[in-house]
Amino acid sequence: LSIANNAARVISASGLLTDGFAFQTGSGGISLATANAVAHEMQTRGVTGSFACGGITGFHVRMLEAGLFRTLMDVQCFDLEAVASYCRNPNHMAMSAAAYAGPHVGGAVVDRLSAVVLGAAEVDLGFNVNVTTNAEGTIIGGSGGHADAAQGAALTLVTTRLNAAGYAKIVPEVTTLTTPGHTVDVIVTEAGVTVNPARPELYERLSSAGLPLISIADLAVLSANAASRPNPPRSQGPVVALSQYRDGTVTDVIRRSAPS
C-alpha cells in the first residue's frame, strides 16, 4: 500500500492527471492498489479519463462504471467480471495485440498512454527492467506489453519491492534485459521513489510535491543489505531464447543454466 500510494502521488504530481487521462496498470496486487489510489484522486479532482487499457480486471470495470473512464480497451480479460462487462457494455471494447502495441501500425494504443504502472523481477542501476527471468535465470513468462507500454507512455512507473525470495531486486545489472532503462521514468519501492536522471523536470515536480526521493544507487545498497541470498552470476551455457524489443531488435539472450 505504501508503494501504491507513492506511485499514485507520482502520477498526480506529474501534471498528467487531467481530463482525457489514459492509463494502464497490471493485475498484480501493487498495480491494483495503485489503480485504486489513482481512482480516488480522479474522483477527488473530478477528472474523467479517456480510456484504461491492457489486461482488464473487475477493478477496471468498476472504474468504467463509476464514470472515471469513458472506455476500456481490452486486449485480455483477466477475470469473469471483465468477461461479463465485455458482453454487456459497448464502452468495453476488445482490441487485437497489433492494435494495442504494434510498432508499425501507426497510432497503437500504448503510444497514447498518459501513464503506465508496470512491475519488475529486477531493476538495475541503468533503470533497465527484467520481467523475463528470475534471479536464477529461469524463464518466468512472456513479457506481455511491458516494453511496448514503457516506450509508448508519457510517464512510465515501475513498482517493485526491494527483495523477493531472499534476493535483491535492485541490482547492478539485470539478469535479462526486457525493457530498456531509457524508457523508464520512475521506480517506486517501499524505501522511496527514484527518478531517471534523464527526467530532471520530473524530479523537480516530485521534489516540490514532497515525494520521498532516493537515488537508484542508494536503493541498490538497501536492496543488497536486506538480501539473505547472493544473486547468482549469469549463466554461460548455450543460448536457449532471445529477448526481443518491440521493433524486433534483440535486447538480450537467455542461456541454459548449468546442472546443479
Side-chain angles (χ1 to χ4, degrees):
L1 289 175
S2 173
I3 295 172
N5 287 333
N6 278 333
R9 289 178 64 196
V10 169
I11 294 171
S12 180
S14 72
L16 295 168
L17 198 60
T18 59
D19 283 339
F21 178 69
F23 190 43
Q24 177 180 327
T25 182
S27 61
I30 295 175
S31 293
L32 292 180
T34 301
N36 186 52
V38 170
H40 177 74
E41 186 66 18
M42 291 174 72
Q43 288 172 325
T44 300
R45 295 188 181 198
V47 168
T48 300
S50 55
F51 68 87
C53 78
I56 300 299
T57 69
F59 186 82
H60 299 96
V61 170
R62 292 188 286 277
M63 293 176 78
L64 174 68
E65 293 176 346
L68 296 179
F69 290 99
R70 293 193 290 271
T71 305
L72 293 183
M73 301 292 290
D74 191 338
V75 74
Q76 180 182 11
C77 287
F78 276 138
D79 59 29
L80 292 179
E81 192 173 349
V83 173
S85 170
Y86 173 67
C87 291
R88 69 173 183 268
N89 192 333
N91 292 322
H92 185 160
M93 303 176 184
M95 61 177 168
S96 67
Y100 167 64
H104 307 303
V105 298
V109 169
V110 294
D111 295 327
R112 293 182 275 139
L113 284 169
S114 304
V116 62
V117 179
L118 301 168
E122 294 175 318
V123 180
D124 71 20
L125 297 177
F127 285 73
N128 301 303
V129 181
N130 169 26
V131 294
T132 305
T133 58
N134 63 17
E136 297 172 340
T138 302
I139 296 173
I140 56 177
S143 63
H146 198 284
D148 309 278
Q151 184 187 45
L155 176 65
T156 298
L157 295 87
V158 170
T159 58
T160 182
R161 296 178 179 86
L162 291 179
N163 303 87
Y167 293 116
K169 296 188 71 177
I170 313 298
V171 295
E173 183 179 9
V174 291
T175 304
T176 303
L177 199 165
T178 310
T179 297
H182 67 83
T183 64
V184 175
D185 300 306
V186 180
I187 308 295
V188 186
T189 73
E190 69 270 32
V193 175
T194 186
V195 181
N196 192 318
R199 296 293 308 273
E201 77 294 344
L202 181 61
Y203 181 94
E204 291 303 322
R205 278 182 172 271
L206 303 189
S207 178
S208 297
L211 269 296
L213 300 179
I214 185 172
S215 72
I216 189 71
D218 286 344
L219 275 184
V221 170
L222 291 174
S223 183
N225 288 344
S228 59
R229 293 196 279 179
N231 287 52
R234 292 187 62 164
S235 172
Q236 299 302 308
V239 174
V240 296
L242 303 177
S243 176
Q244 289 187 318
Y245 198 48
R246 65 185 306 211
D247 62 2
T249 56
V250 175
T251 59
D252 212 337
V253 297
I254 300 166
R255 296 179 180 275
R256 179 181 293 122
S257 299
S260 56

